[in-house]
Each structure stands twice: as structure tokens, then as C-alpha cells.
Amino acid sequence: GPQFAMVVGFAAGALIDLAPPADHVAGRWALALTVVGYVAGRVRAESSPTATTVVGTVAASSFVGTSLFAITGLLVGDLSVGVGELLLVIGVAVLWDVVLTPFVLPPLMALFRRLEPARVT
């Protein structure tokens, strides 16, 4: 659900923010992945998981997370690149996330089923 996904997103984002060689203001990835966790958790709770909805959710989550990270960088003056480069990075991130989904998501969901069988179906 959205609550569990938000906690996982925040923890993953905080690890990314604090892991060396982090070169940005801490908390940007934590915020972005918390929002992504909420959105993905809501979509998962309200729809049945078909291949199309999973890939669509991954693409949308990737776009939202990377865009939110970039926007917070613009707001705090933490970026050394222009908007054109940001759009290219966002596009590449969405593409990579969609391509890697079939390899990463099934084992990860199996792990979540073992950790919390009552919540993940």
C-alpha cells in the first residue's frame, strides 16, 4: 500500500542522499522517492497488476521522481547543468527504468511477499 511504499521510498532516498559521493543537498532523493512510493502504492492498491499497468506505473514513477529531484535542485540552486541536460537525463532515466523493470521488479516483489505476506498480493 501507499504507506509501506512511502516508508521504503524515504529509506531508499535517504540512503542515496547520504551515500558517498553524494554531491547534492541531502533530502532531495528522500522527498522524491517518498512521493514516488505514495503514487506507486496508490496505483497498486486501486488496479490489478497487468504488464501494461506495471510498465506504465514504472514509467510515470520514474518521470515523477527524477523530475521532482531536478525541480528541487532548481529551487535550492543545487544544479550545475541547464534545463536541456535535465530533460535528457529524465528521458534516459525513464527509458532505463522501463527496460530494467522485468529483471528487477519480480524478485523484489517476491522479497516483499516474504517480508509482509498480508500486505503484498
Side-chain angles (χ1 to χ4, degrees), residues 13 29 61 72 101:
W29 274 120
S61 297
T72 57
T101 295

Side-chain angles (χ1 to χ4, degrees), residues 6 28 46 55 63 75-76 87 98 104 107:
M6 287 174 62
R28 288 175 53 201
E46 293 178 6
V55 171
F63 178 78
L75 291 175
V76 299
L87 293 175
V98 168
V104 175

Side-chain angles (χ1 to χ4, degrees), residues 77-103:
D78 196 24
L79 293 176
S80 60
V81 297
V83 175
E85 290 90 3
L86 287 177
L87 293 175
L88 179 64
V89 168
I90 291 169
V92 170
V94 170
L95 179 67
W96 270 111
D97 289 343
V98 168
V99 167
L100 293 176
T101 295
F103 304 106

